[in-house]
Amino acid sequence: MPKKIVSNIYVLLGLALLSGSCGVSRSLKDLPDVSIYETKLPPRQQLSDSTYRLATNFLTKNPQGLYELYVSGNPYEMGLKTGSLTQELFQEQERVFVEKIDELVPSKGKQKMLRKFLAWFNRKMYKNIDEQYKAEIYGISQYASKDYDRIAAPYPRVMYFHGAHDIGHALQDLALVGCSSFAAWGPHTEDGKLIIGRNFDFYAGDDFAKNKIIAFVAPDQGHKFMSVSWGGMIGVVSGMNDQGLTVTINAGKSKFPLVAKTPISLVTREILQYASTIEEAIAIAKKREVFVSESIFVGSAKDKKAALIEVSPHNFGVYEVENGNQLVCSNHFQSEAYADDKKNQKHIFESHSKYRYQRMEELLENTPKVTPESAVSILRNKNGLEDKHIGYGNEKALNQMLAHHGIVFQPEDLLVWVSSNPYQLGEFVAYDLKEVFGTADQNQKARPISSPDRNIAPDPFLRTLAYRHYERYRKLRRQITEAMVSEEEIEPALWTEFIAVNPDFWEVYFLKGKYYYENRNYKEALDAFGKAKTREVTTVPDKESIDTYIKKLKRKLK
């Protein structure tokens, strides 16, 4: 487990012990009142190995490997339906997530500490979540795996999972995701209509991104909407409603929170369900208390433009471009409200956020008239500024080769394109929300609901030697990092191959330098760190780390 996360948990746990268990017991006992909802659900019907139907609702897997879910009804009913239809996916996602935590925290003692921390940190979350979403989460939790009751009972456990993005963000005090978003409209698009593109670069292991769910939700109150999701998740990280309002989230630099409040994905869910304009979205975001910093990228068919709502525990800002027709967002704030925010300024200077921002501007400048196809091309771009080769997997690239998904919206036509595996390189599958919501209730055979004639082809990069080299690099990286942790010997031939399959990436040389430094082969180490420094290094702290090693090595070799 990363040392910074461990130390931060110890700090927070110490505060928890000092303050006692105030609020923890109440939060664990809190349950929504679901007696107010009518729920007469028929049993789930299995139509094939990946297709299920429950009355007029269904789950099916399309040819590109994306699961398409359609649910309707009141909050508790939708939770139960979603849980029933997706129970295998939900339980698999939970297994993957818990195993990832166990991998990061192998010690049973530290796992127990983490459970105490989660209960304490989340002690006020239940007070900050709307009752309708608590009811929906409670419905889903009825289908949670019994294997993980050691962490928490099903209902609070599923609540915790909804704050996982925020908690991980808070513990490391950095953006766990390097998300990139942009919008163009007016003279910057082919037909003048608003187009939005975004990469959601959240990474919790390959298995976590394996089973993506494209959820189409028809609640009995509010707007119908779609979102890219996964088993057990009702929050929204990327989505669009039937009014042509879109939301996506980009993590910002956060202060260290002491208590969880409203998970950001539930704020965006509420916006998607109840807003149809940017003004309405701002009003909803203002009334919710969050516990991390986040940019909410909102696109609106009615307003025919996009804007940023920048939220944090103690500040709130809105950023709109003046006299412009394109908006770009990475992982730093741009509104006047954060102009003097020292953490934001430091993040701009030290991180890769500004670099990706400039790269999006550069690519948009080279794309005078954005189309859905060219938006996908921008999201898939693997190079650095001025098309420099910076190594595959470099976080300075828009396509970091790890994205959970890429997505493109055309709000005025209610069209959306969602990437399929691997990363955002697979076919972008098209959906027409007018058609989906107009016919979903009649889809008795639960056939796929995409619009295949509008799909955008897979990236040709998938057929190249460079792609095969990248996949080999990822396997070798795991092998090498595991060997370094266990202090095993790594043969020179393995280092040679590791560098050969990704020679432009600074990290391959950095890892080699660390290995030889720790094994006191200072000449090899100095050579490797010197080569790392000549590549496009991701962040200022990474550059400083390389310089520190080089200084130490030069002293040792005198």
Side-chain angles (χ1 to χ4, degrees):
M1 186 180 191
K3 289 181 181 177
K4 185 161 189 178
I5 296 181
V6 173
S7 64
N8 286 348
I9 289 175
Y10 273 118
V11 169
L12 286 176
L13 189 61
L15 288 169
L17 294 172
L18 285 172
S19 61
S21 60
C22 181
V24 173
S25 178
R26 284 196 295 274
S27 71
L28 292 174
K29 290 176 182 175
D30 176 72
L31 291 174
D33 179 11
V34 295
S35 65
I36 60 174
Y37 299 112
E38 285 187 23
T39 51
K40 295 179 181 178
L41 298 187
R44 181 183 75 165
Q45 294 178 280
Q46 183 168 357
L47 305 182
S48 75
D49 61 348
S50 58
T51 302
Y52 300 90
R53 193 180 72 189
L54 204 166
T56 58
N57 295 175
F58 58 85
L59 174 78
T60 191
K61 191 176 185 180
N62 69 24
Q64 293 79 18
L66 300 174
Y67 284 91
E68 298 172 352
L69 171 72
Y70 172 69
V71 290
S72 60
N74 64 54
Y76 184 44
E77 183 181 17
M78 288 197 303
L80 289 171
K81 286 177 174 179
T82 301
S84 174
L85 288 165
T86 67
Q87 56 192 273
E88 290 81 10
L89 298 177
F90 174 24
Q91 292 177 15
E92 172 65 9
Q93 206 74 16
E94 195 170 14
R95 180 193 67 77
V96 166
F97 195 72
V98 173
E99 285 184 2
K100 188 69 178 177
I101 294 170
D102 289 346
E103 178 190 320
L104 291 170
V105 193
S107 160
K108 296 296 181 187
K110 286 178 181 175
Q111 286 178 13
K112 186 177 180 181
M113 177 190 75
L114 182 60
R115 289 196 295 272
K116 286 184 178 179
F117 160 71
L118 285 172
W120 176 77
F121 189 76
N122 289 306
R123 67 195 182 279
K124 291 187 179 179
M125 187 188 284
Y126 76 101
K127 293 182 176 181
N128 289 276
I129 296 178
D130 196 282
E131 288 298 317
Q132 63 181 315
Y133 301 131
K134 286 161 72 172
E136 193 170 340
I137 289 170
Y138 184 72
I140 287 178
S141 73
Q142 305 307 299
Y143 295 88
S145 171
K146 302 299 180 188
D147 296 340
Y148 306 113
D149 288 355
R150 57 186 167 84
I151 295 172
Y155 173 60
R157 193 167 79 237
V158 180
M159 289 273 278
Y160 293 172
F161 288 155
H162 279 79
H165 165 92
D166 312 58
I167 292 169
H169 182 175
L171 284 175
Q172 291 210 57
D173 192 28
L174 51 80
L176 279 176
V177 289
C179 301
S180 305
S181 311
F182 62 86
W185 61 94
H188 288 293
T189 62
E190 195 171 62
D191 56 7
K193 293 178 180 177
L194 175 64
I195 291 179
I196 297 163
R198 93 74 133 254
N199 282 336
F200 182 60
D201 291 320
F202 180 82
Y203 183 75
D206 291 344
D207 288 342
F208 186 83
K210 197 166 147 186
N211 296 318
K212 286 183 266 291
I213 297 173
I214 317 304
F216 296 88
V217 182
D220 63 355
Q221 293 184 353
H223 306 302
K224 298 173 183 177
F225 64 90
M226 66 74 60
S227 76
V228 183
S229 187
W230 49 84
M233 175 71 160
I234 72 158
V236 173
V237 296
S238 302
M240 178 167 70
N241 68 22
D242 61 2
Q243 305 298 298
L245 188 94
T246 72
V247 291
T248 61
I249 56 175
N250 287 40
K253 190 72 170 175
S254 275
K255 287 185 178 179
F256 208 78
L258 298 178
V259 63
K261 293 194 176 176
T262 312
I264 195 70
S265 69
L266 292 179
V267 177
T268 47
R269 160 69 188 267
E270 186 175 358
I271 289 171
L272 209 56
Q273 189 172 343
Y274 292 101
S276 65
T277 64
I278 292 170
E279 186 179 352
E280 290 171 359
I282 292 169
I284 290 170
K286 264 186 179 175
K287 71 180 184 181
R288 295 298 175 199
E289 286 191 83
V290 298
F291 60 103
V292 291
S293 301
E294 206 87 20
S295 292
I296 303 173
F297 195 112
V298 181
S300 168
K302 289 184 178 179
D303 297 304
K304 300 184 186 300
K305 64 179 182 178
L308 292 173
I309 304 172
E310 299 178 337
V311 300
S312 68
H314 306 293
N315 206 350
F316 188 94
V318 176
Y319 178 73
E320 296 186 66
V321 289
E322 293 181 14
N323 304 316
N325 301 99
Q326 70 181 38
L327 180 66
V328 174
C329 177
S330 49
N331 295 103
H332 60 269
F333 292 142
Q334 302 175 61
S335 67
E336 192 63 35
Y338 293 89
D340 299 321
D341 188 297
K342 290 181 180 178
K343 271 192 173 288
N344 188 49
Q345 291 171 351
K346 186 171 184 275
H347 188 55
I348 292 170
F349 174 70
E350 290 188 345
S351 75
H352 44 76
S353 180
K354 184 179 178 181
Y355 189 98
R356 282 183 289 106
Y357 184 96
Q358 292 171 334
R359 180 58 173 158
M360 279 186 277
E361 287 189 316
E362 186 177 76
L363 290 168
L364 285 167
E365 189 176 340
N366 293 332
T367 313
K369 300 288 184 181
V370 177
T371 64
E373 290 78 12
S374 62
V376 166
S377 181
I378 291 171
L379 295 178
R380 287 172 170 169
N381 191 276
K382 305 156 197 70
N383 294 336
L385 288 168
E386 299 180 348
D387 275 338
K388 178 181 177 182
H389 291 285
I390 59 177
Y392 296 120
N394 194 320
E395 290 175 284
K396 282 187 167 180
L398 298 186
N399 179 2
Q400 299 169 23
M401 307 282 276
L402 55 69
H404 182 274
H405 64 266
I407 191 166
V408 171
F409 302 103
Q410 192 164 305
E412 290 160 79
D413 293 323
L414 295 182
L415 294 173
V416 58
W417 289 261
V418 183
S419 68
S420 56
N421 289 335
Y423 323 117
Q424 70 275 61
L425 302 176
E427 192 170 8
F428 269 67
V429 181
Y431 296 94
D432 181 337
L433 265 61
K434 297 187 295 294
E435 187 178 326
V436 169
F437 288 119
T439 62
D441 283 332
Q442 287 80 50
N443 189 4
Q444 292 300 303
K445 294 187 178 179
R447 294 190 178 95
I449 51 179
S450 64
S451 300
D453 56 319
R454 295 179 184 271
N455 288 359
I456 297 172
D459 192 333
F461 178 72
L462 288 172
R463 300 191 296 271
T464 65
L465 178 62
Y467 173 70
R468 294 197 293 276
H469 277 173
Y470 175 70
E471 289 296 290
R472 178 63 178 157
Y473 152 78
R474 295 184 82 230
K475 288 178 183 175
L476 289 173
R477 189 186 185 282
R478 281 192 293 270
Q479 183 181 340
I480 283 170
T481 52
E482 286 170 7
M484 288 174 70
V485 168
S486 56
E487 299 182 351
E488 296 173 16
E489 184 180 356
I490 300 173
E491 293 294 328
L494 195 61
W495 285 115
T496 301
E497 184 186 4
F498 184 51
I499 290 169
V501 292
N502 204 358
D504 297 315
F505 193 24
W506 71 275
E507 194 189 50
V508 296
Y509 303 98
F510 181 77
L511 288 173
K512 182 181 179 182
K514 277 187 72 176
Y515 171 77
Y516 279 112
Y517 179 84
E518 287 161 7
N519 285 275
R520 301 184 180 182
N521 187 336
Y522 299 137
K523 192 168 182 242
E524 283 281 0
L526 183 61
D527 178 69
F529 284 124
K531 286 177 180 173
K533 194 172 179 179
T534 65
R535 269 58 178 184
E536 189 65 58
V537 181
T538 307
T539 66
V540 169
D542 289 328
K543 290 176 184 175
E544 291 173 347
S545 179
I546 292 170
D547 287 338
T548 299
Y549 273 114
I550 288 174
K551 284 176 186 175
K552 286 180 181 177
L553 286 162
K554 284 182 176 177
R555 284 198 300 268
K556 289 179 183 293
L557 288 168
K558 272 185 179 179

